[in-house]
Amino acid sequence: MIHKTVLTSGAAIAIASTALASGTSNDKDIMNTVGESGNFSTFIDAVEMFGMADTLKAEGPFTILAPTNEAFAALPAETLEYLLSNPEALAQVLSNHVVYGNVMVDDLSNNMTAATANGSAVTFLLQDGVMVNDAHISSADIVASNGVIHAIDAVILPPR
């Protein structure tokens, strides 16, 4: 089960992705919004494999940091195979992409940290574009009925 967390600055966050224009109102939930894009099928498969789809269809709000298919493809083959064959490890990785709340890119400040659903933290950097840890946010502020999605170009792995 995902636990409620908040940003250290007092704002709340959660994470997801879609092909809709940034800031556009949307009556579809995070899972449906992400699914329409086609660029997040690995993320969707992992969420469904872990049984987290119902959570991302729930009321929220959530901000989803959704890795693209290319982000998963960039993982070493053995890492991806391990994650897809190990439900506990997969749960840790997926939970690292979810923070509760609704945070738009304009709400971020440089070096702002957010606690993820698995209890670790991510750091947002506002230099060379917007980054979260080592991932660039390639498409931001994709609005769903239950939160906001930011597409990212890398999978955020839990700290070792």
Side-chain angles (χ1 to χ4, degrees), residues 127-148:
Q127 51 207 24
D128 299 323
V130 181
M131 295 183 68
V132 56
N133 288 11
D134 293 327
H136 287 91
I137 295 178
S138 57
S139 184
D141 297 343
I142 303 162
V143 177
S145 63
N146 60 342
V148 64

Side-chain angles (χ1 to χ4, degrees), residues 114-127:
T116 65
N118 72 8
S120 63
V122 293
T123 302
F124 293 93
L125 302 170
L126 306 180
Q127 51 207 24

